[in-house]
Amino acid sequence: MATVSEIMRHSLPLLTPGMSISEALDRMLESGLSGLPVVDSQRHIIGFLSEQDCIPKLINASYHCDNRLLVSDLMRHDPLTATLDTDVFELARLMGGPKPKLYPVVDGKKVIGIVTRHQVMSFLNNQLKTCLATY
């Protein structure tokens, strides 16, 4: 069984609930990820902020030059997560539906990485190539 621990990204910027949305977006854009976990002071996951969460509010805020939005105003409070031992094939099935395209990876409640749809697709493609090589 292949697990998330084999394909996850270990380093990523993290967001805090009191961070300005502008600073959070800078971190998100620099990371190349479409969302980032929101954590407390112990790196425990308390939320998730995605591009999709931001865009509707940013339309009005950017038009009116209102930079009072905080991460806590826009984040999802019930983020879906993966663990180190999450089966990659099961995660792929979730990602094939309406579920998120990236999942924070947690150990207990502590964020230790992230796994993206791109990483899952790369893994599945490598699996397919391995199968084809044995025929």
Side-chain angles (χ1 to χ4, degrees), residues 15-128:
L15 307 178
T16 60
M19 184 180 286
S20 75
I21 200 64
S22 183
E23 183 181 352
L25 290 174
D26 284 343
R27 288 186 184 191
M28 192 182 307
L29 293 168
E30 289 170 9
S31 75
L33 297 168
S34 61
L36 291 172
V38 182
V39 298
D40 64 15
S41 59
Q42 287 82 43
R43 290 181 59 122
H44 293 169
I45 190 156
I46 58 171
F48 194 84
L49 184 70
S50 71
E51 293 170 339
Q52 186 176 4
D53 298 326
C54 294
I55 288 178
K57 293 284 188 182
L58 286 175
I59 294 168
N60 193 41
S62 62
Y63 182 82
H64 294 289
C65 294
D66 181 3
N67 195 23
R68 292 177 292 165
L69 287 174
L70 300 176
V71 168
S72 60
D73 297 326
L74 303 179
M75 73 182 200
R76 293 179 185 265
H77 293 273
D78 57 346
L80 297 175
T81 61
T83 62
L84 290 170
D85 61 349
T86 298
D87 183 308
V88 176
F89 290 100
E90 182 57 34
L91 188 60
R93 281 189 274 285
L94 292 172
M95 288 181 164
K99 298 292 184 187
K101 296 159 187 59
L102 62 161
Y103 285 72
V105 179
V106 295
D107 184 5
K109 292 191 117 224
K110 186 175 183 176
V111 175
I112 57 172
I114 200 158
V115 63
T116 67
R117 183 181 286 173
H118 181 85
Q119 291 164 309
V120 170
M121 285 185 53
S122 179
F123 168 82
L124 294 173
N125 187 39
N126 287 336
Q127 281 292 115
L128 183 60

